[in-house]
Amino acid sequence: FLTDTSSFLVGRPWLRQIRVKINESCNVPSPLWRMMTDCDKPYSLWNTDVSSYDVGWTPQNVTFDEASWKNVSDFQVPWMYQYASLSAAVPDSGEHGTYYGGGYIVELSDSSDADIDIIDELQEMNWIDDNTRAVFIEFIVYNANANLFAIMTLLAE
């Protein structure tokens, strides 16, 4: 149960990251070359990164279908793009963009201490970097008094 004693968490919370493609930066105008050498494109559906990577965003030349997910270790999953199902096709809007389903997903645990360890490990491996445009924290709550489910989505851009 949650602190209100009538709602409880259904399943586990998860993090979902939306990224732009690596090495697709915009052009720096020539008067600004001395001040900056690189800039990053804003998020759009057309430059969404849907590639799968090795740990630390190292490119790999492997595509994964549903059958090959059984052979992926838990350590590798945060670096693998997961497409949204058709039921999750409604986009989420934020201050800087409209984000479509899918992304790089990390399932959290039932323990806040273990979750902190997971997040610390992801931070050490630069899971969030210059190509990250949004990170969602998502979870489902059921309220027994109202007999309602609620999908909670928190967005950081």
Side-chain angles (χ1 to χ4, degrees), residues 5 10 25-26 39 41 45 47 50 57 60 63 65 75 77-78 96 106 108 125-126 147 151 154:
T5 68
V10 178
S25 62
C26 51
C39 68
K41 284 187 176 179
L45 182 60
N47 68 349
V50 295
W57 304 116
Q60 60 177 329
T63 55
D65 58 15
F75 191 68
V77 170
H96 300 285
V106 177
L108 299 175
M125 294 184 289
N126 295 318
N147 195 28
I151 299 171
L154 307 171

Side-chain angles (χ1 to χ4, degrees), residues 109-120:
S109 69
D110 296 328
S111 161
S112 58
D113 290 336
D115 292 343
I116 289 171
D117 290 342
I118 291 169
I119 292 168
D120 285 345

Side-chain angles (χ1 to χ4, degrees), residues 2-38:
L2 300 177
T3 56
D4 69 355
T5 68
S6 63
S7 300
F8 63 93
L9 196 61
V10 178
R12 295 180 175 172
W14 62 93
L15 302 174
R16 180 169 59 100
Q17 180 183 159
I18 306 294
R19 300 172 53 81
V20 293
K21 293 176 183 172
I22 291 177
N23 296 328
E24 273 207 22
S25 62
C26 51
N27 294 324
V28 178
S30 58
L32 299 175
W33 284 349
R34 290 184 182 175
M35 291 188 288
M36 57 191 293
T37 59
D38 178 45

Side-chain angles (χ1 to χ4, degrees):
F1 284 96
L2 300 177
T3 56
D4 69 355
T5 68
S6 63
S7 300
F8 63 93
L9 196 61
V10 178
R12 295 180 175 172
W14 62 93
L15 302 174
R16 180 169 59 100
Q17 180 183 159
I18 306 294
R19 300 172 53 81
V20 293
K21 293 176 183 172
I22 291 177
N23 296 328
E24 273 207 22
S25 62
C26 51
N27 294 324
V28 178
S30 58
L32 299 175
W33 284 349
R34 290 184 182 175
M35 291 188 288
M36 57 191 293
T37 59
D38 178 45
C39 68
D40 297 314
K41 284 187 176 179
Y43 172 80
S44 75
L45 182 60
W46 312 117
N47 68 349
T48 301
D49 192 352
V50 295
S51 300
S52 292
Y53 295 91
D54 205 351
V55 175
W57 304 116
T58 306
Q60 60 177 329
N61 296 325
V62 178
T63 55
F64 289 90
D65 58 15
E66 195 170 315
S68 60
W69 272 99
K70 297 173 187 167
N71 299 326
V72 175
S73 73
D74 291 340
F75 191 68
Q76 186 73 29
V77 170
W79 313 96
M80 313 298 284
Y81 188 84
Q82 297 180 45
Y83 288 93
S85 67
L86 290 178
S87 63
V90 177
D92 294 299
S93 293
E95 184 77 21
H96 300 285
T98 299
Y99 305 98
Y100 299 89
Y104 299 89
I105 297 172
V106 177
E107 187 173 324
L108 299 175
S109 69
D110 296 328
S111 161
S112 58
D113 290 336
D115 292 343
I116 289 171
D117 290 342
I118 291 169
I119 292 168
D120 285 345
E121 189 173 287
L122 290 171
Q123 184 177 3
E124 287 174 19
M125 294 184 289
N126 295 318
W127 190 67
I128 296 174
D129 65 4
D130 291 344
N131 295 87
T132 302
R133 292 297 172 265
V135 175
F136 293 87
I137 302 172
E138 299 170 312
F139 55 96
I140 301 170
V141 174
Y142 174 71
N143 183 290
N145 291 340
N147 195 28
L148 291 174
F149 288 91
I151 299 171
M152 310 301 288
T153 302
L154 307 171
L155 167 62
E157 294 179 292

